[in-house]
Amino acid sequence: MSNSLSGKKILLGVCGSIAAYKAAILTRLLVKQKAEVQILMTEAATHFISPLTLSTLSKRSVISRFFDDGHEQWNNHVELGLWADAFLIAPATGSTIARLATGMCNDVLAATYLSARCPVFVAPAMDLDMWQHPATQRNIQLLKDASNQIVPVGNGELASGLNGPGRLAEPEEIMLFLQQFFEKQSPTKQQALKGEKVLITAGPTYEPIDPVRFIGNRSSGRMGIALAEAAAAQGAQVSLVLGPTDLRPASHAAIEVVPVQTAQQMFDATVQRFPNATIGILAAAVADYTPLETSDVKIKKKTSDLVLHLTKTKDILAHLGSIKTAQQRLVGFALETNNEEENAHKKLVKKNLDFIVLNSLRNKGAGFRHKTNQITILDRHNNKQYYELKSKEAVAQDIIQYLVHHF
Ligand code: CTP
């Protein structure tokens, strides 16, 4: 699958923040993606992380001054600015953000920023009060207005001991941000799933009790439908096995919709198509139990209670996990209310998945009946990625990007 950073020339600007150590991880990830990395550091950054570490990882001398002592060499910020395909400033401190926003060029990093013609990505890192201060927010807005890309800050424990927004985004999140930006830019890279056959399940299932009643659930199918659209937009041929819902994907020649009603029908349609698929993404909310018997006629009201005997349905995802080949990729979902990560991890292993998308009903705005979702991805290499609350369409793109870049 494609790698939008391969061969890209990246300037990585590092500022003086506790989070500067993450620049080392970022450099490694960029080099792993076959990007060329030139590091620029502010004077303050050199107190937090050694230039030697970063020059060793990037395989290039780090630049932190206009002039190199003793070498009579001038680091030409104009050349640097023109060389780069992207300028990533991570971590970007409140002070550097203020300098960039006002056009000050009192060090080589800020001067290169003014010379750069490439897209600039700013990944802020600071304490929560600094981040929320109107001055910082004004500066961020100025940077946005000047067409810079701001990587969303993380939320959590800060170096000060406070808790809240302001953390530097995790290196993996910054990488994804960059990759997604370049994929949107380059029409050829939008076809990262060209040649792939993606099988998706979505929506609820209805388990009939009699001709008018059923056991169902509140799934709308929106998440799986968005996945079908996102996969098709990346060039995949998609089969969408869709439970009873009025929603449909936007018409696309590459999406085949297979409507089903019951868990058994979904099982049959999915298992039949899986050998022909390269990727399976099972997002449906399949009933775990179905009535043992379905009455052909409407069940009449009686004076006594009605007891329904339910029998277990087949687990489609677990079945696909047991038959998948080494070439096939399999992705599942986990909807949890407690011990979320532990339960999701158990499902990942038990059902032999490449990764699992966890959504917790404890997160406001996530799960059924919402147009938004907040997910965490856990994969079989023990990687974990947290995402913020987004529209289901944006979440679908994140999931497809994860697939493209990690498997
Ligand atoms: N799934 C499936 N077939 C089933 C049940 C679930 O394919 N009969 C798939 C779902 O599409 C989802 C994943 O399995 O991708 C997890 O479903 P979930 O209901 O959360 O997990 P279960 O294994 O059913 O466990 P539990 O209900 O106990 O949490």
Side-chain angles (χ1 to χ4, degrees):
M1 290 175 200
S2 85
N3 164 15
S4 57
L5 294 177
S6 175
K8 287 263 182 317
K9 301 187 184 87
I10 314 268
L11 282 174
L12 175 57
V14 184
C15 306
S17 154
I18 294 288
Y21 74 92
K22 289 187 184 173
I25 306 168
L26 256 174
T27 308
R28 269 193 49 211
L29 292 174
L30 286 165
V31 169
K32 216 167 133 193
Q33 296 282 322
K34 300 196 168 51
E36 273 185 69
V37 185
Q38 172 62 63
I39 299 195
L40 301 178
M41 295 177 88
T42 62
E43 183 67 31
T46 62
H47 298 291
F48 287 91
I49 182 163
S50 138
L52 185 61
T53 303
L54 295 179
S55 62
T56 307
L57 289 173
S58 66
K59 304 187 182 78
R60 278 169 174 266
S61 301
V62 163
I63 297 172
S64 57
R65 298 186 191 160
F66 286 113
F67 299 96
D68 284 342
D69 290 342
H71 294 92
E72 292 179 1
Q73 197 179 320
W74 178 50
N75 291 313
N76 187 333
H77 57 274
V78 178
E79 260 175 31
L80 282 169
L82 295 179
W83 170 83
D85 296 312
F87 189 1
L88 166 64
I89 302 166
T93 52
S95 134
T96 292
I97 286 170
R99 290 189 298 130
L100 303 183
T102 51
M104 276 177 75
C105 44
N106 51 345
D107 69 4
V108 72
L109 188 152
T112 307
Y113 165 76
L114 288 189
S115 303
R117 291 192 188 163
C118 60
V120 178
F121 302 82
V122 178
M126 64 197 81
D127 208 46
L128 94 140
D129 294 307
M130 291 172 77
W131 171 247
Q132 285 169 341
H133 197 283
T136 304
Q137 290 305 314
R138 244 189 337 262
N139 289 333
I140 289 285
Q141 193 54 49
L142 284 170
L143 289 181
K144 282 186 185 166
D145 293 345
S147 298
N148 297 292
Q149 308 296 317
I150 309 294
V151 181
V153 292
N155 200 320
E157 204 184 316
L158 297 155
S160 61
L162 295 174
N163 224 291
R167 277 168 67 99
L168 178 65
E170 291 306 320
E172 289 78 12
E173 289 168 354
I174 300 176
M175 291 292 291
L176 201 63
F177 191 93
L178 249 65
Q179 282 160 342
Q180 289 180 348
F181 177 88
F182 283 116
E183 260 145 35
K184 274 190 216 133
Q185 297 270 301
S186 148
T188 54
K189 291 292 193 277
Q190 282 183 357
Q191 301 288 300
L193 292 181
K194 199 151 189 67
E196 305 287 343
K197 293 195 171 123
V198 183
L199 176 62
I200 298 175
T201 67
T205 61
Y206 285 0
E207 308 303 318
I209 297 169
D210 69 14
V212 292
R213 304 181 180 95
F214 61 85
I215 299 173
N217 61 65
R218 298 188 198 281
S219 165
S220 64
R222 197 180 292 279
M223 191 63 246
I225 288 172
L227 276 163
E229 289 170 345
Q234 294 289 338
Q237 200 65 38
V238 180
S239 289
L240 175 64
V241 180
L242 185 59
T245 170
D246 289 339
L247 299 180
R248 286 289 179 273
S251 146
H252 195 300
I255 305 179
E256 170 208 22
V257 179
V258 185
V260 294
Q261 291 279 322
T262 65
Q264 182 63 46
Q265 287 169 2
M266 188 172 274
F267 181 91
D268 293 340
T270 309
V271 171
Q272 187 204 335
R273 283 166 177 79
F274 191 56
N276 200 26
T278 55
I279 298 165
I281 309 178
L282 301 208
V286 189
D288 288 328
Y289 294 92
T290 188
L292 186 61
E293 285 166 3
T294 303
S295 170
D296 291 337
V297 291
K298 187 178 168 213
I299 300 172
K300 284 287 177 200
K301 205 169 23 235
K302 299 187 189 109
T303 45
S304 57
D305 291 345
L306 175 71
V307 177
L308 277 179
H309 190 158
L310 302 179
T311 181
K312 266 184 94 168
T313 58
K314 292 181 208 148
D315 190 317
I316 310 168
L317 184 59
H319 183 74
L320 298 193
S322 72
I323 60 169
K324 92 170 178 160
T325 64
Q327 285 72 40
Q328 286 177 307
R329 298 285 162 257
L330 190 59
V331 179
F333 274 70
L335 181 65
E336 305 291 340
T337 54
N338 56 307
N339 295 334
E340 291 90 341
E341 288 187 17
E342 196 188 319
N343 287 338
H345 188 257
K346 277 190 196 147
K347 283 180 194 172
L348 169 82
V349 175
K350 199 168 137 210
K351 300 193 187 188
N352 191 24
L353 310 180
D354 291 288
F355 67 88
I356 192 155
V357 181
L358 162 67
N359 33 115
S360 166
L361 278 188
R362 278 200 283 191
N363 291 338
K364 278 205 185 94
F368 290 176
R369 287 196 295 172
H370 290 284
K371 290 190 176 167
T372 50
N373 204 359
Q374 181 166 21
I375 60 160
T376 302
I377 291 183
L378 311 178
D379 76 20
R380 68 179 158 87
H381 308 303
N382 282 328
N383 294 319
K384 205 183 291 177
Q385 189 148 328
Y386 298 97
Y387 295 86
E388 51 192 46
L389 186 71
K390 297 179 180 186
S391 70
K392 286 190 172 166
E393 287 70 25
V395 171
Q397 283 180 17
D398 286 341
I399 294 169
I400 296 295
Q401 289 306 321
Y402 199 88
L403 188 66
V404 167
H405 295 296
H406 294 257
F407 291 96

